[in-house]
Structure formats: structure tokens, C-alpha cells
Amino acid sequence: MQEHSAKTAFSVGDLARASQCKVETVRYYEKIGLMPTPQRTEGGHRIYNQPELKRLIFIRRSRDLGFSVSQVRDLLRFVDEPNHTCGEVKALTLAQSEEVQRKIDDLQRLHKALLEMANRCKGESYSLEQCPIIDALYDEM
């Protein structure tokens, strides 16, 4: 972002590159209202400024941390509207942290199940008809 800090206007392509998003993502965020409707040149091209770049980076970073679009909308509302507190942001962040932990727990259970299936397999010494992994995939949970 450093090289773009002196730039005052960005095309949609420049904005996408500077924020490490795709052009389609920028347009999608505009369509769903996370990004404001951009100004346009006389030729109809979108024009963005530093505040839009900052907002897009905020959105991208929030999404990278696993916040849903709805949660990002809430975070932006906290930023855009007066009278919100850091406590509201903290509560949303803690809820997201719990969701991430739930996913980690699910992935660890999945990892354990896969290792257990693999450990039952003797590899090349068994035919496919005798493969315990294939059998386990046919079994109901």
C-alpha cells in the first residue's frame, strides 16, 4: 500500500491491485453495499480515492479473518455510525474467535478419523476389495 499512498485517484483495476482484491470482488462489494457507489469519470469509468482503498483493505482483511459478509457489514456500521463502542467490536470478534475454534475442533476430528482409516490399511499387500479405507467410506457414520 505504501507505493499508492501518494496517489489521489484509482481506477477499479488500480484499487483492486492496491488492495489485493479482484476487480470482480470490488464490484461485488459495491453491489451489496459494503463499498460506496464510486464517482465516475465523464467516460463512465469508476474513480476511487484513498478512503475507498482503506475501506476495501478493511473489508478484505476482515474477510481473511473469517468474518462473514454480515459481520463485515456490522463492523463497518460500527465505524460509519457514531455512538458505537470498542466493546461491540470485541464481542463480534470473540464470537468469530469461537467460530474459528469450532472449525479447528471439527478439522482435528476429521484429521484423526482420516489417520485412523489410513492406519488400518496395509497398503500394497491388500487388494482394493480388501481395503479398509474403502470399506470405511461405505460404512454409515
Side-chain angles (χ1 to χ4, degrees):
M1 186 169 119
Q2 187 75 340
E3 69 183 72
H4 297 284
S5 61
K7 194 169 186 176
T8 58
F10 300 92
S11 68
V12 69
D14 291 339
L15 184 76
R17 276 187 292 282
S19 64
Q20 299 177 353
C21 288
K22 295 181 180 178
V23 170
E24 295 80 15
T25 303
V26 175
R27 291 181 179 143
Y28 172 71
Y29 289 155
E30 288 171 6
K31 180 180 177 182
I32 65 171
L34 292 181
M35 289 291 291
T37 303
Q39 297 176 342
R40 298 214 177 231
T41 65
E42 289 182 20
H45 298 283
R46 293 172 167 92
I47 292 289
Y48 304 89
N49 295 302
Q50 199 66 31
E52 288 84 17
L53 175 59
K54 282 183 67 174
R55 187 175 185 95
L56 186 55
I57 290 170
F58 180 95
I59 295 166
R60 182 190 52 79
R61 185 76 178 109
S62 298
R63 295 290 288 143
D64 287 349
L65 289 169
F67 286 104
S68 68
V69 169
S70 176
Q71 290 171 317
V72 173
R73 192 178 311 281
D74 288 341
L75 288 168
L76 289 170
R77 187 173 41 82
F78 296 157
V79 171
D80 293 341
E81 297 174 0
N83 302 322
H84 290 283
T85 67
C86 189
E88 291 173 283
V89 176
K90 181 179 180 178
L92 189 62
T93 301
L94 288 173
Q96 178 58 18
S97 175
E98 290 172 7
E99 177 63 17
V100 168
Q101 186 60 56
R102 186 193 62 72
K103 289 178 182 178
I104 289 169
D105 294 345
D106 287 347
L107 287 171
Q108 286 175 334
R109 280 191 292 278
L110 178 62
H111 180 249
K112 183 179 175 187
L114 289 168
L115 286 177
E116 287 173 3
M117 285 180 7
N119 287 335
R120 288 187 206 136
C121 184
K122 302 291 189 221
E124 294 177 17
S125 62
Y126 279 87
S127 69
L128 191 60
E129 291 83 22
Q130 298 170 317
C131 181
I133 297 172
I134 297 294
D135 289 342
L137 293 173
Y138 277 111
D139 287 342
E140 290 187 34
M141 298 295 229

Short mmCIF file of all heavy atoms in Angstrom, two decimals, residues 55 58 70-82 84 88:
data_model
loop_
_atom_site.label_atom_id
_atom_site.label_comp_id
_atom_site.label_asym_id
_atom_site.label_seq_id
_atom_site.Cartn_x
_atom_site.Cartn_y
_atom_site.Cartn_z
N ARG A 55 -11.05 1.41 3.02
CA ARG A 55 -12.25 0.63 3.31
C ARG A 55 -12.16 -0.76 2.69
O ARG A 55 -12.50 -1.76 3.32
CB ARG A 55 -13.48 1.38 2.81
CG ARG A 55 -14.80 0.73 3.20
CD ARG A 55 -15.96 1.60 2.76
NE ARG A 55 -17.23 1.10 3.22
CZ ARG A 55 -17.87 1.48 4.32
NH1 ARG A 55 -17.33 2.40 5.10
NH2 ARG A 55 -19.03 0.96 4.65
N PHE A 58 -9.84 -2.88 4.64
CA PHE A 58 -10.53 -3.26 5.87
C PHE A 58 -11.46 -4.45 5.60
O PHE A 58 -11.46 -5.44 6.35
CB PHE A 58 -11.34 -2.06 6.38
CG PHE A 58 -12.11 -2.31 7.64
CD1 PHE A 58 -11.57 -1.97 8.87
CD2 PHE A 58 -13.38 -2.86 7.61
CE1 PHE A 58 -12.28 -2.17 10.05
CE2 PHE A 58 -14.11 -3.07 8.77
CZ PHE A 58 -13.56 -2.74 10.00
N SER A 70 -22.09 -10.44 6.54
CA SER A 70 -22.97 -9.79 7.51
C SER A 70 -22.17 -9.19 8.67
O SER A 70 -22.44 -8.08 9.12
CB SER A 70 -23.99 -10.80 8.02
OG SER A 70 -24.78 -10.24 9.03
N GLN A 71 -21.18 -9.93 9.15
CA GLN A 71 -20.34 -9.42 10.23
C GLN A 71 -19.50 -8.24 9.77
O GLN A 71 -19.31 -7.29 10.53
CB GLN A 71 -19.43 -10.53 10.77
CG GLN A 71 -20.18 -11.60 11.53
CD GLN A 71 -19.29 -12.79 11.85
OE1 GLN A 71 -18.52 -13.25 11.01
NE2 GLN A 71 -19.40 -13.28 13.08
N VAL A 72 -19.01 -8.28 8.54
CA VAL A 72 -18.25 -7.15 7.99
C VAL A 72 -19.16 -5.93 7.91
O VAL A 72 -18.76 -4.81 8.24
CB VAL A 72 -17.63 -7.48 6.61
CG1 VAL A 72 -17.00 -6.24 5.98
CG2 VAL A 72 -16.60 -8.59 6.73
N ARG A 73 -20.39 -6.15 7.51
CA ARG A 73 -21.37 -5.06 7.46
C ARG A 73 -21.53 -4.43 8.85
O ARG A 73 -21.56 -3.22 9.01
CB ARG A 73 -22.70 -5.58 6.92
CG ARG A 73 -23.69 -4.51 6.56
CD ARG A 73 -24.98 -5.07 5.98
NE ARG A 73 -24.82 -6.05 4.90
CZ ARG A 73 -24.55 -5.75 3.64
NH1 ARG A 73 -24.39 -4.50 3.27
NH2 ARG A 73 -24.43 -6.71 2.74
N ASP A 74 -21.61 -5.29 9.88
CA ASP A 74 -21.71 -4.79 11.25
C ASP A 74 -20.47 -4.00 11.65
O ASP A 74 -20.57 -2.92 12.25
CB ASP A 74 -21.92 -5.95 12.24
CG ASP A 74 -23.31 -6.56 12.16
OD1 ASP A 74 -24.24 -5.90 11.63
OD2 ASP A 74 -23.47 -7.70 12.63
N LEU A 75 -19.29 -4.54 11.32
CA LEU A 75 -18.05 -3.83 11.65
C LEU A 75 -18.02 -2.46 10.98
O LEU A 75 -17.63 -1.46 11.60
CB LEU A 75 -16.83 -4.66 11.23
CG LEU A 75 -16.54 -5.90 12.07
CD1 LEU A 75 -15.49 -6.78 11.39
CD2 LEU A 75 -16.07 -5.50 13.47
N LEU A 76 -18.42 -2.41 9.72
CA LEU A 76 -18.43 -1.13 9.01
C LEU A 76 -19.47 -0.18 9.59
O LEU A 76 -19.24 1.03 9.65
CB LEU A 76 -18.69 -1.37 7.51
CG LEU A 76 -17.52 -2.00 6.76
CD1 LEU A 76 -17.96 -2.42 5.37
CD2 LEU A 76 -16.33 -1.05 6.69
N ARG A 77 -20.58 -0.73 10.05
CA ARG A 77 -21.59 0.11 10.70
C ARG A 77 -21.02 0.72 11.97
O ARG A 77 -21.22 1.89 12.26
CB ARG A 77 -22.85 -0.72 11.01
CG ARG A 77 -24.01 0.10 11.54
CD ARG A 77 -25.28 -0.73 11.67
NE ARG A 77 -25.11 -2.07 12.19
CZ ARG A 77 -25.01 -2.38 13.48
NH1 ARG A 77 -25.05 -1.45 14.39
NH2 ARG A 77 -24.86 -3.64 13.85
N PHE A 78 -20.25 -0.07 12.71
CA PHE A 78 -19.60 0.45 13.92
C PHE A 78 -18.68 1.62 13.56
O PHE A 78 -18.62 2.61 14.29
CB PHE A 78 -18.78 -0.63 14.63
CG PHE A 78 -19.57 -1.79 15.16
CD1 PHE A 78 -18.96 -3.01 15.38
CD2 PHE A 78 -20.92 -1.67 15.46
CE1 PHE A 78 -19.67 -4.10 15.89
CE2 PHE A 78 -21.65 -2.75 15.98
CZ PHE A 78 -21.02 -3.96 16.18
N VAL A 79 -17.98 1.49 12.46
CA VAL A 79 -17.04 2.53 12.03
C VAL A 79 -17.79 3.75 11.48
O VAL A 79 -17.44 4.89 11.78
CB VAL A 79 -16.08 1.98 10.94
CG1 VAL A 79 -15.26 3.08 10.31
CG2 VAL A 79 -15.19 0.89 11.52
N ASP A 80 -18.83 3.50 10.70
CA ASP A 80 -19.52 4.58 9.99
C ASP A 80 -20.49 5.37 10.85
O ASP A 80 -20.74 6.55 10.57
CB ASP A 80 -20.29 4.02 8.78
CG ASP A 80 -19.38 3.46 7.70
OD1 ASP A 80 -18.18 3.82 7.69
OD2 ASP A 80 -19.87 2.67 6.87
N GLU A 81 -21.06 4.73 11.84
CA GLU A 81 -22.08 5.40 12.65
C GLU A 81 -21.50 5.81 14.00
O GLU A 81 -20.71 5.07 14.58
CB GLU A 81 -23.28 4.47 12.89
CG GLU A 81 -24.00 4.08 11.63
CD GLU A 81 -25.09 3.03 11.88
OE1 GLU A 81 -25.26 2.60 13.05
OE2 GLU A 81 -25.73 2.64 10.91
N PRO A 82 -21.91 6.95 14.51
CA PRO A 82 -21.42 7.38 15.83
C PRO A 82 -22.04 6.54 16.94
O PRO A 82 -23.00 5.80 16.72
CB PRO A 82 -21.88 8.83 15.92
CG PRO A 82 -23.05 8.93 15.01
CD PRO A 82 -22.82 7.92 13.91
N HIS A 84 -20.93 3.98 18.74
CA HIS A 84 -20.59 2.58 18.94
C HIS A 84 -19.34 2.50 19.79
O HIS A 84 -18.57 3.45 19.86
CB HIS A 84 -20.40 1.86 17.60
CG HIS A 84 -21.66 1.67 16.85
ND1 HIS A 84 -22.58 0.70 17.17
CD2 HIS A 84 -22.18 2.34 15.80
CE1 HIS A 84 -23.61 0.78 16.35
NE2 HIS A 84 -23.39 1.77 15.50
N GLU A 88 -18.40 -3.40 21.45
CA GLU A 88 -19.21 -4.05 20.42
C GLU A 88 -18.32 -4.79 19.43
O GLU A 88 -18.64 -5.91 19.00
CB GLU A 88 -20.07 -3.01 19.69
CG GLU A 88 -21.16 -2.42 20.56
CD GLU A 88 -21.87 -1.28 19.85
OE1 GLU A 88 -21.29 -0.17 19.79
OE2 GLU A 88 -22.99 -1.51 19.36
#
